[in-house]
Amino acid sequence: MLILGIDTSCDDTAAAVVENGAKIISNIVSSQTDIHKKYGGIVPELASRRHIEMILPVVDEALKAAGAGLEDVSAVAVCHGPGLIGSLLVGCSFAKALCFSKNIPLIAVNHLEGHIFSCFLEEPRPEFPFISLIASGGHTSLYRVDEFGKYRELGRTRDDASGEAYDKVSKLLGLGYPGGPVIDKLASEGNPKAIDFPRPYLPESFDFSFSGLKTAVLQYLRDASRITRNEDIAASFQACMVDVLVRKTEWAIKKEGIRRVTLSGGVSANSELRKRMKEMGDERETEIFIPSINLCTDNAAMIASAGYHHFLNKDFAGIDLNPKAYLPL
Ligand code: KG4
Ligand code: ZN
């Protein structure tokens, strides 16, 4: 059974065809990085305009690459939030029009649920229950996932998301957007112990807070006497970020008594985080599931994968579906 997934929640126009919620038949992502990088971050108005230009060719390409027509698709799953409202509107309006005109069932998928289900698109797949860390440009949260549709938030960021902190620190260092991949690369050539930036553990809860870490980097850079190389600043910042994300996940494993963890969202593409999370898993005899890099960042295959379970539950959306910028899981 084929589901066409669509995601336009942020700055990527994405469409994919997935079989039975697990097998990727096609997965197309049109990135807008070139448009936004000169501004050092995403400009929402430019993002939605680009989605309007790209949505039809991207969906067309996904269907062609899958060798499928709309008549082969059992449902269209679209991300309806959270995200940039103008961007979400493009994907939702397009999906609604497609479903209405071709009489195809419509499914609404939460973007965060999509990120969790990116871990079901490759072998081995996690069994329930598991702890899920979502670390991306817009979100950083820990969930306990007992089954499809049963999510309990253990903690979330109180201010900046982890990817947002990467992007802001990159901007402070005069490096490009998105910051995560640039800092990841630079950090591999630096000394993670060069600067002792604060590690915001918030030991009383599973919440995160990264704005202080970002400010510490800013203050450090303002110090005219500094002689540290950008490589060392990047490595020291990344060491704090990874320490906090891994340690908090470790606490969640212990508290919930669950020895399975999924990691998803753009920051899970980070080489140091992937390595350290796996090391922690080995020490704690815990299975760690991290998708391939192209499934960590935004894509529509993850939306189709989650959409499949909504389909099985006959959980369909109406033509009155409206996207929401804020949408808890
Ligand atoms: O999941 P995603 O594509 O979009 C959101 O839902 O936000 O995540 C994008 C974020 C950006 O902040 C980007 O800097 C970060 O993921 N990112 C990384 C890496 N690759 C992407 N952060 C750290 N290391 C990376 N290698
Ligand atoms: Zn995302």
Side-chain angles (χ1 to χ4, degrees), residues 110 112-114 116-117 120 127-132 134 142-154 256 258 262 306 309-310 313 315 328-329:
N110 184 304
L112 299 172
E113 187 175 49
I116 293 174
F117 276 79
F120 286 78
E127 280 174 29
F128 296 104
F130 56 85
I131 301 292
S132 178
I134 303 177
L142 268 170
Y143 291 93
R144 177 191 165 114
V145 181
D146 281 292
E147 58 186 71
F148 173 78
K150 207 167 162 209
Y151 315 110
R152 183 155 61 81
E153 188 185 88
L154 303 174
E256 298 296 323
I258 294 175
T262 66
H309 296 274
H310 286 277
N313 290 343
D315 175 19
L329 189 55

Side-chain angles (χ1 to χ4, degrees), residues 26-205:
S26 67
N27 190 18
I28 309 296
V29 179
S30 168
S31 164
Q32 300 184 1
T33 302
D34 285 347
I35 295 174
H36 302 286
K37 72 177 174 203
K38 57 178 168 286
Y39 303 100
I42 298 164
V43 183
E45 180 60 23
L46 295 181
S48 37
R49 284 172 193 229
R50 186 67 178 158
H51 282 310
I52 292 172
E53 288 167 5
M54 294 312 294
I55 186 76
L56 186 53
V58 166
V59 168
D60 211 28
E61 196 182 335
L63 288 168
K64 279 201 182 110
L70 282 172
E71 62 284 0
D72 304 312
V73 163
S74 300
V76 175
V78 66
C79 168
H80 67 126
L84 299 172
I85 193 66
S87 292
L88 289 163
L89 264 168
V90 178
C92 282
S93 308
F94 186 87
K96 287 199 293 188
L98 205 61
C99 290
F100 184 67
S101 61
K102 294 285 180 185
N103 203 20
I104 303 171
L106 175 68
I107 295 166
V109 174
N110 184 304
H111 187 75
L112 299 172
E113 187 175 49
H115 272 306
I116 293 174
F117 276 79
S118 62
C119 299
F120 286 78
L121 291 162
E122 292 171 326
E123 301 272 3
R125 296 185 177 83
E127 280 174 29
F128 296 104
F130 56 85
I131 301 292
S132 178
L133 172 65
I134 303 177
S136 74
H139 311 274
T140 301
S141 314
L142 268 170
Y143 291 93
R144 177 191 165 114
V145 181
D146 281 292
E147 58 186 71
F148 173 78
K150 207 167 162 209
Y151 315 110
R152 183 155 61 81
E153 188 185 88
L154 303 174
R156 61 155 70 193
T157 182
R158 293 180 186 174
D159 39 57
D160 290 353
S162 47
E164 191 181 354
Y166 266 97
D167 294 336
K168 287 178 176 170
V169 166
S170 174
K171 202 170 176 181
L172 292 175
L173 291 172
L175 308 167
Y177 171 86
V182 193
I183 292 191
D184 192 355
K185 187 164 178 294
L186 210 60
S188 67
E189 292 147 27
N191 173 10
K193 293 194 176 136
I195 310 151
D196 192 18
F197 289 129
R199 281 158 171 75
Y201 284 122
L202 310 181
E204 78 288 2
S205 87

